[in-house]
Amino acid sequence: MIFQIIGIVILLAFYACYFIKMLNQKKKGITTDQIGKGKVGAVKIIEIVMKIATYLVPFAEVISIVLATPAFSLGVQILGACVGLVGVVIFIISVVTMRDSWRAGVSKTDKTDLVTSGIFQISRNPAFLGFDLVYIGILLMFFNWVLFAVSVFAIVMFHLQIVNVEEPFLLSEFGEDYLGYRKKVCRYIGRK
């Protein structure tokens, strides 16, 4: 029962941050959800499939939490809770640090800043890292093969989004500034 409560708290905190930020930006006239908008070809496909994945995972997570089907030892479940909570903290810090530059998907029409301060000094993609850690944490607490499949699918789609959409966009928008940043900070975690 305790892991069910922890799992629900992780999901509520994570998605509350996401939607509160989205609503706050909407009040300022900022469209946060840019996924698939104004894109064509592979970029549009990657973003749309990524969005589908992000809807599938919480659905599978909630069902897994409700059914409480732990397949791992207590130690692994505790590790999962810790990983999930760290993921939430990383995600919240990254969203706060980005201020109004935060978007879901890239936008060629909205001008934003290249954020390299705070948590972005140790990860170029802390929001995606937060997503991944939450998914892995919930998976470790409530492992089942369906949850495993959708979680891995979403993590792969996030990676494809970063490599094939976000990084080329940032390079085209910020040029040498982004190249310099990319040389100093790892894609997911660490400094080079």
Side-chain angles (χ1 to χ4, degrees):
M1 181 68 166
I2 187 72
F3 290 107
Q4 288 174 302
I5 293 169
I6 293 169
I8 294 297
V9 166
I10 287 170
L11 292 183
L12 286 175
F14 184 81
Y15 289 104
C17 171
Y18 187 94
F19 289 111
I20 288 169
K21 181 69 170 190
M22 189 179 286
L23 290 172
N24 284 337
Q25 286 187 307
K26 185 175 183 176
K27 288 178 186 175
K28 295 177 181 181
I30 299 169
T31 304
T32 305
D33 185 358
Q34 297 291 333
I35 298 173
K37 295 178 181 175
K39 283 106 177 180
V40 295
V43 169
K44 183 171 186 140
I45 292 168
I46 289 169
E47 285 198 346
I48 296 295
V49 174
M50 181 193 67
K51 188 171 192 171
I52 292 167
T54 62
Y55 287 129
L56 288 174
V57 174
F59 180 72
E61 287 172 334
V62 169
I63 289 172
S64 297
I65 291 168
V66 168
L67 297 178
T69 57
F72 295 129
S73 68
L74 179 61
V76 173
Q77 289 179 287
I78 291 170
L79 175 64
C82 293
V83 168
L85 290 168
V86 167
V88 169
V89 170
I90 289 172
F91 181 76
I92 291 170
I93 291 170
S94 68
V95 168
V96 170
T97 303
M98 286 191 79
R99 295 184 185 88
D100 287 335
S101 291
W102 182 63
R103 302 288 185 279
V106 299
S107 172
K108 293 187 179 193
T109 58
D110 291 1
K111 294 299 172 201
T112 60
D113 297 323
L114 177 63
V115 180
T116 60
S117 62
I119 195 167
F120 288 85
Q121 294 175 357
I122 56 172
S123 173
R124 292 195 323 257
N125 298 284
F128 284 113
L129 178 62
F131 264 100
D132 291 349
L133 292 175
V134 166
Y135 291 175
I136 291 166
I138 298 290
L139 181 62
L140 291 174
M141 285 190 288
F142 304 100
F143 183 87
N144 62 68
W145 289 107
V146 171
L147 182 60
F148 174 80
V150 296
S151 298
V152 169
F153 175 61
I155 290 168
V156 167
M157 290 312 304
F158 288 149
H159 181 72
L160 292 175
Q161 169 77 6
I162 291 167
V163 172
N164 296 305
V165 180
E166 301 230 350
E167 289 178 350
F169 168 77
L170 292 169
L171 183 59
S172 71
E173 283 291 306
F174 300 106
E176 290 298 321
D177 289 339
Y178 178 69
L179 280 175
Y181 173 59
R182 194 167 77 177
K183 287 178 184 174
K184 289 187 232 171
V185 180
C186 293
R187 181 177 285 142
Y188 294 107
I189 193 158
R191 292 188 58 87
K192 296 179 180 179

